[in-house]
């Protein structure tokens, strides 16, 4: 049985005169965590947008899963909503039933220590709480693939360790995790493969 959940074949993406991705080929498999590294502008976030179907490109993308959980680098929150309403509405968008959303939020809000703030307006929350909201919404529907774009932003050390433990648990459960980060050393213990991006191409640093 094929354990590849994402396959990118001959992906090329050009912004103006800048060829960010140049006939890129990558595979992302079950039970593996991948770290994308490279200088600013090397194509890390562009690869994520290709996987998510957010941009046009040349080449072929094959995805064999039902759900992708995505933690963006940043988000313009609807600050008029409470934390609970924000997460609840995203659960509905992910086609979850109200009962499943409520149960998931009860567990995740306590696990990620935002329960005391769950009914606050988002604009009243700290940067760390907002980052936890992004992480929780990615977890809501129990996706097959998790994508983390600089997910450590705003998290204290305890929450960073919790995220690393979560990544390991999701690998053990058969999930695929794709990470972009400037903090290579922090992820060394949980990633299986580092992919170095340069001039639109991908190079393995280790497996």
């Amino acid at each position: 049985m094929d354990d590849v959940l994402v396959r990118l074949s001959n992906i090329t993406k050009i912004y103006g005169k800048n060829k960010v991705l140049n006939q890129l080929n990558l595979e992302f498999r079950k039970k593996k965590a991948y770290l994308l590294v490279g200088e600013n502008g090397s194509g890390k976030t562009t690869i994520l947008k290709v996987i998510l179907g957010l941009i046009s490109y040349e080449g072929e993308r094959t995805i064999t899963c039902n759900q992708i959980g995505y933690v963006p680098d940043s988000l313009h929150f609807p600050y008029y909503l409470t934390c609970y309403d924000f997460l609840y509405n995203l659960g509905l968008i992910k086609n979850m039933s109200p009962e499943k959303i409520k149960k998931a939020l009860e567990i995740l809000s306590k696990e990620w220590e935002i329960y005391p703030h769950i009914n606050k307006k988002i604009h009243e929350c700290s940067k760390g709480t907002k980052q936890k909201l992004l992480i929780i919404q990615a977890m809501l529907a129990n996706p097959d693939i998790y994508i983390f774009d600089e997910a450590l932003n705003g998290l204290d050390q305890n929450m960073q360790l919790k995220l690393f433990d979560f990544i390991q648990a999701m690998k053990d459960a058969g999930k695929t995790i794709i990470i972009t980060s400037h903090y290579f050393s922090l992820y060394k213990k949980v990633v299986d493969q580092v992919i170095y991006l340069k001039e639109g191409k991908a190079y393995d640093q280790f497996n």
Side-chain angles (χ1 to χ4, degrees), residues 15-182:
Y15 291 106
K17 296 181 179 180
N18 184 22
K19 186 177 287 188
V20 179
L21 301 179
N22 184 11
Q23 294 188 321
L24 182 81
N25 294 288
L26 283 174
E27 291 182 346
F28 300 96
R29 299 177 179 273
K30 295 179 182 177
K31 295 188 176 183
K32 300 289 185 182
Y34 301 85
L35 179 64
L36 305 180
V37 299
E39 297 177 358
N40 290 338
S42 61
K44 299 186 297 296
T45 299
T46 301
I47 290 174
L48 302 188
K49 290 180 178 179
V50 169
I51 295 171
L52 293 164
L54 298 178
I55 58 175
S56 61
Y57 54 88
E58 297 178 12
E60 184 177 353
R61 175 195 65 157
T62 304
I63 296 181
T64 55
C65 73
N66 296 321
Q67 281 271 6
I68 298 177
Y70 175 44
V71 179
D73 181 20
S74 61
L75 182 71
H76 294 292
F77 286 96
Y79 282 8
Y80 56 89
L81 290 179
T82 65
C83 296
Y84 186 89
D85 288 340
F86 170 74
L87 294 171
Y88 185 88
N89 286 324
L90 284 176
L92 293 176
I93 292 172
K94 296 172 188 286
N95 297 315
M96 297 174 66
S97 69
E99 293 76 18
K100 285 187 176 180
I101 298 171
K102 291 175 183 178
K103 184 176 181 179
L105 288 183
E106 182 177 357
I107 294 170
L108 291 171
S109 65
K110 292 177 180 177
E111 182 177 347
W112 287 87
E113 300 179 10
I114 68 161
Y115 189 76
H117 313 292
I118 197 68
N119 291 313
K120 283 185 179 180
K121 295 287 182 69
I122 295 178
H123 72 82
E124 299 174 331
C125 296
S126 67
K127 181 178 179 181
T129 297
K130 292 172 186 173
Q131 187 65 16
K132 293 175 193 177
L133 289 177
L134 294 180
I135 292 172
I136 290 171
Q137 62 80 28
M139 298 176 176
L140 278 177
N142 189 28
D144 297 311
I145 299 172
Y146 287 90
I147 293 179
F148 296 105
D149 192 359
E150 296 292 354
L152 299 181
N153 289 342
L155 297 183
D156 63 27
Q157 187 174 18
N158 287 336
M159 289 296 102
Q160 289 180 13
L161 293 175
K162 184 179 289 291
L163 181 62
F164 299 148
D165 288 343
F166 173 80
I167 290 171
Q168 185 60 56
M170 290 302 96
K171 285 168 51 180
D172 294 342
K175 311 292 186 179
T176 299
I177 298 94
I178 304 170
I179 304 159
T180 70
S181 179
H182 293 293

